Amino acid sequence: MSAIVASDLDRTLIYSAPALGLAMPDAEAPRLLCVEVYERKPLSYMTETAAGLLAELAGKTTFVPTTTRTREQYGRIHLPGPAPEFAICANGGHLLVRGESDPDWQRTVAERLAAQCAPLDEIRAHLVRTADPAWLLKERVAEDLFAYLVVERPLLPDSWVKDLAGWADERGWTVSLQGRKIYAVPQPLTKSAAVAEVARRTGTSEILAAGDSLLDADLLLAADRGWRPGHGELADAGWHAPHVTALEERGAAAGEEILRAFIRGAVPPGHAG
């Protein structure tokens, strides 16, 4: 049985235009493939090289997209290669099996959240009450599982995020700042738990993983081998683990290198194409 390859998507394998990190002269920039359209406009990209690597990987392993996106947001992405049998959305809240959310997993998640952390309504009310309209742009709830704010990042006080993190931790929640979004996520709602369920169902013992944010840390720690790009929350925090390779590449170049590492790690010698 080949390894499970569980990868975060945004700023790990796919990139918005500002996140691509195209530092080379325009004439030397790689060709890009648009993999997501939002409101009739292109939104997310891979390099054509990365697209080819992902198609190769997905054809030879159990590739599991593993994202904090809602199911609707994930549905806008069209990745190269065969459609994944499994995908993880809402930071582990939904396990998609051939595109449909698994009801048994939904029940398991609901039971864990009810037993281990404060209710979403309490967290959401605190966010709205304490956020400053000077920097708050939007307030949202995702899949009735977690909450997030969209903020004007330059105006956001670091102290507010730290205070929120301490308050949330006492109630069994985790706070993560990613770009313009501040996430408040129940601690039992993890990508690693959902990936472990995929491993149980497939009988696979080896897990390879990649991610760039604090919400990916549990996934990387639970994997047998992992990779993180040279950008993102984990890189900014100097986060590391013995079995996780910290890449120097940033932006879309990191996405390519992660896919090369996945192929080297997951495809047995003699099967590489």
Side-chain angles (χ1 to χ4, degrees):
M1 177 67 69
S2 64
I4 285 175
V5 176
S7 183
D8 176 52
L9 295 177
D10 293 280
R11 292 170 60 86
T12 299
L13 295 187
I14 70 174
Y15 292 83
S16 65
L20 283 166
L22 302 177
M24 70 290 289
D26 291 348
E28 298 172 16
R31 294 204 335 172
L32 301 172
L33 174 70
C34 177
V35 294
E36 179 186 15
V37 171
Y38 179 55
E39 295 182 342
R40 301 178 181 85
K41 296 178 182 177
L43 182 62
S44 299
Y45 305 85
M46 306 177 76
T47 68
E48 285 193 350
T49 298
L53 292 167
L54 178 55
E56 177 185 349
L57 179 74
K60 295 177 178 176
T61 68
T62 302
F63 172 66
V64 184
T66 307
T67 180
T68 305
R69 285 178 177 238
T70 64
R71 287 171 289 174
E72 180 182 1
Q73 292 166 338
Y74 170 71
R76 299 196 303 252
I77 301 172
H78 298 283
L79 295 172
E85 181 178 1
F86 299 98
I88 292 162
C89 294
N91 213 61
H94 286 281
L95 172 57
L96 305 189
V97 183
R98 289 177 288 279
E100 298 294 327
S101 185
D102 185 82
D104 291 338
W105 183 248
Q106 285 188 43
R107 281 191 291 272
T108 297
V109 168
E111 290 166 1
R112 289 176 181 172
L113 299 192
Q116 298 178 41
C117 43
L120 172 62
D121 287 348
E122 178 183 341
I123 306 302
R124 185 182 184 186
H126 180 82
L127 288 172
V128 173
R129 187 173 61 250
T130 60
D132 188 335
W135 46 257
L136 177 63
L137 300 176
K138 298 176 187 175
E139 179 265 336
R140 295 286 186 268
V141 168
E143 302 270 19
D144 292 322
L145 290 168
F146 62 89
Y148 65 93
L149 307 179
V150 182
V151 302
E152 197 71 63
R153 182 70 178 266
L155 302 179
L156 177 69
D158 290 341
S159 59
W160 189 86
V161 178
K162 291 176 183 175
D163 291 346
L164 174 65
W167 180 89
D169 184 63
E170 294 173 358
R171 290 158 179 79
W173 287 64
T174 296
V175 170
S176 174
L177 175 61
Q178 300 183 43
R180 298 194 307 148
K181 292 182 179 178
I182 301 169
Y183 290 92
V185 178
Q187 289 174 2
L189 189 71
T190 63
K191 294 179 177 182
S192 61
V195 170
E197 177 65 12
V198 175
R200 185 187 71 80
R201 295 186 185 196
T202 59
T204 306
S205 59
E206 187 177 24
I207 297 170
L208 308 183
D212 71 296
S213 82
L214 291 175
L215 291 174
D216 297 311
D218 70 278
L219 173 64
L220 292 169
L221 288 172
D224 295 286
R225 281 176 288 171
W227 292 265
R228 69 157 176 81
H231 63 258
E233 272 187 317
L234 296 178
D236 292 346
W239 186 94
H240 64 276
H243 63 288
V244 177
T245 300
L247 299 173
E248 294 183 4
E249 290 84 359
R250 301 169 60 88
E256 289 184 7
E257 193 53 41
I258 286 167
L259 288 163
R260 290 188 186 97
F262 277 152
I263 290 171
R264 288 194 298 269
V267 179
H271 289 72

